[in-house]
Amino acid sequence: MLYSKMFIPTLKEAPADADTISAKYMIRAGMIRKVSSGLYEYLPLGFRVLKKVEKIIREELDAIGGQEISMPLILPKELWEETGRWKIYGKELFRLKDRKEADFCLSPTHEEPITDLARREIRSYRQLPVMFYQFGAKFRDEIRPRFGVMRAREFLMKDAYSFHADEQDLENYYSVIFEAYNRICKRCGFVFRPVEAASGAIGGSFSHEFMVLADTGEEEIAWCPCGYGANSEKAQCLPCENTKEALEPLQEISTPDIKTIDEVSGFLKIDAAKTIKSIFYLADAEPILVLTRGDTEINETKLASALNADGLVLLEENAVYKIAGAHFGSLGPINLKQKIKIIADLSIDGISNAAVGANKDGFHLKGANYGRDYKADMIADIRKVKRGDICPHCKKEKLQFSRGIEIGHTFKLGTKYSKAMGATFLSADGKENLMQMGCYGIGVSRILAAVIEQSSDENGIIWTKNTAPFEAIIIPINYAESKTKEITDSIYRELTQRGVDVLIDDREERAGIKFKDADLIGIPYRITVSEKTLLQGKVEFKERKNPKEKFELITPQEAVEKLCGRQG
Ligand code: ATP
Ligand code: MG
């Protein structure tokens, strides 16, 4: 491919609204352009990378029996009503009407249509297991589209769905998918971690996120050298170590204008771990009181799942006043005006003589003890993991924290969708059973941004070998000169024949400009052909990822062999 024939509109400056390294470089390298918030065009270079990533994923999924299909992007409301997600998806769902005023949406994901296909077409256990996958646009009206293609409103996803006759078969296949995802991440050249994750709107019993480690990642992950890893939304907390002391009597103390945990612990001269945070929520319209130790935070994802609640919102102050008889800052589990359900975090267990709000404005209680003075209806792990927490798996090491970009998500769905939509099959013993399902997504377009977030320098992108739009670029200093052209073309021919993707920068530009563009675009290997080095029968060979290293002077044949021998 000749540079002069390709549309590569590189820019010196990124637009002001490009908010991450990857967004800046993808625009500057002429890979993408922004059409509107969260909507992008992929120009030829960007499109080539999408296709490279697609190829890796397709090969890995075909290797584990996946069958590629394509489903419509416009989907009828009726399917989404069967699972309740027409409502649950809320504003993230792009909705539209046809000319007959019938409701449709633009697909944000495809569990409903694939389950519909399965219930229509799969009748017998003999047709199971089966895994379908597709590459296609997904539409989500994100609250904050940002970071270029990382969080877009239309993006390219690979989604896959598997159907099984029983739970064991799903379980087995989940590990097969898990390994395939590991291979995909490795082939993309990622430093990554698969972590346990919360299931969110897609639902199901068990899920993993594949996180590419990058300081700019939106997610936080907690991990341990023992192998444990979890999204910090999900990371399990062990009970806290609380010192048990002789019980003191409950004592009311005037605490005028003392409201926050910091103010209470400062005023009473006690550690925040000796206080209790009391927060009122509405869980599916039922008011509840949630307690956690003063130095910890409530994790609403865990709380909702402990309660099996779909909706969880903070209760507003007037409603709280009616239940507790006090305003924010003086709330606690003792002396509530109305009896309501109390949910306590594990960290509450064993705090002796704690300070809590007295449910009387301007007062706190000291010496509050669980069991004697208050009780919870449920004790569960509902707090956020924090620095200093011990790994819940090995129970020895302290958890470590890193930021990550979620590029893939696997879910063991079980019968969540097959039950809601009646996807059954006849088992070997003639019984009508629900299909067991798994679903597995990869943000193909997000992978582009993730590679760059993990691999770039001040000069531009550094693509990994398998994701690069071209593996190598040949830069003839003067392509019009006959010897230079002859050698350039012969290297190109041989590399192309041996399956290496090469670009020749045949432009009549200064060498400096060609080098700058090659660096910005991020092509992993550069071969420079000049009259001067050809006098010794040599060309310059340079790896993009080692900008400080000088080029090697080698023969054209050695350059070809080097490139053909490279792995990963
Ligand atoms: P996130 O937590 O980042 O919003 P999600 O949990 O909503 O992701 P899934 O529904 O699991 O994402 O979608 C599968 C994959 O699609 C994700 O792992 C991610 O790589 C990608 N993805 C999700 N939302 C977007 C988006 N708005 N833009 C680009 N890629 C996305
Ligand atoms: Mg999302």
Side-chain angles (χ1 to χ4, degrees), residues 86-121:
W86 184 258
K87 205 162 146 213
I88 294 170
Y89 237 107
K91 291 200 163 169
E92 211 172 288
L93 198 63
F94 276 105
R95 294 159 206 259
L96 66 157
K97 285 188 191 293
D98 70 4
R99 62 172 73 204
K100 294 183 202 133
E101 292 292 303
D103 287 303
F104 290 83
C105 68
L106 296 179
S107 64
T109 173
H110 274 90
E111 283 77 17
E112 281 79 356
I114 195 83
T115 310
D116 178 45
L117 173 72
R119 76 177 161 187
R120 281 189 273 115
E121 303 295 332

Side-chain angles (χ1 to χ4, degrees), residues 2 16 42 104 162 185 203 208 231 256 262 266 347 443 456 474 484 493 529:
L2 294 175
Y42 287 80
F104 290 83
S162 67
C185 288
H208 284 92
N231 188 313
D262 278 353
S347 59
S456 72
I474 312 176
T484 304
R493 251 193 325 273
V529 184

Side-chain angles (χ1 to χ4, degrees), residues 9-47:
T10 57
L11 300 173
K12 284 217 168 61
E13 301 283 335
D17 64 350
D19 49 5
T20 44
I21 294 279
S22 53
K24 286 191 175 100
Y25 280 157
M26 286 179 84
I27 294 174
R28 282 193 53 208
M31 309 194 82
I32 56 164
R33 288 292 185 262
K34 181 169 165 177
V35 177
S36 173
S37 169
L39 301 175
Y40 290 87
E41 291 149 341
Y42 287 80
L43 306 186
L45 267 190
F47 196 72

Side-chain angles (χ1 to χ4, degrees), residues 208-281:
H208 284 92
E209 286 167 349
F210 283 73
M211 293 286 192
V212 168
L213 302 188
D215 293 340
T216 46
E218 284 185 281
E219 310 276 338
E220 186 183 56
I221 61 172
W223 58 277
C224 175
C226 80
Y228 177 78
N231 188 313
S232 51
E233 252 183 34
K234 156 96 187 198
Q236 197 191 332
C237 299
L238 296 171
C240 293
E241 280 192 20
N242 292 311
T243 50
K244 300 228 160 63
E245 295 159 12
L247 304 195
E248 290 167 10
L250 197 61
Q251 192 190 347
E252 188 179 271
I253 297 180
S254 164
T255 48
D257 295 326
I258 302 292
K259 294 196 162 142
T260 64
I261 292 289
D262 278 353
E263 287 164 358
V264 172
S265 65
F267 184 79
L268 298 175
K269 299 197 175 44
I270 52 169
D271 201 282
K274 284 282 195 186
T275 68
I276 290 174
K277 217 175 251 182
S278 306
I279 301 184
F280 288 78
Y281 282 94

Side-chain angles (χ1 to χ4, degrees), residues 89 92 140 142 151 155 201 219 406 446:
Y89 237 107
E92 211 172 288
R140 295 181 184 179
E142 300 275 356
R151 186 165 294 286
F155 57 97
E219 310 276 338
E406 178 199 320
R446 184 180 282 183

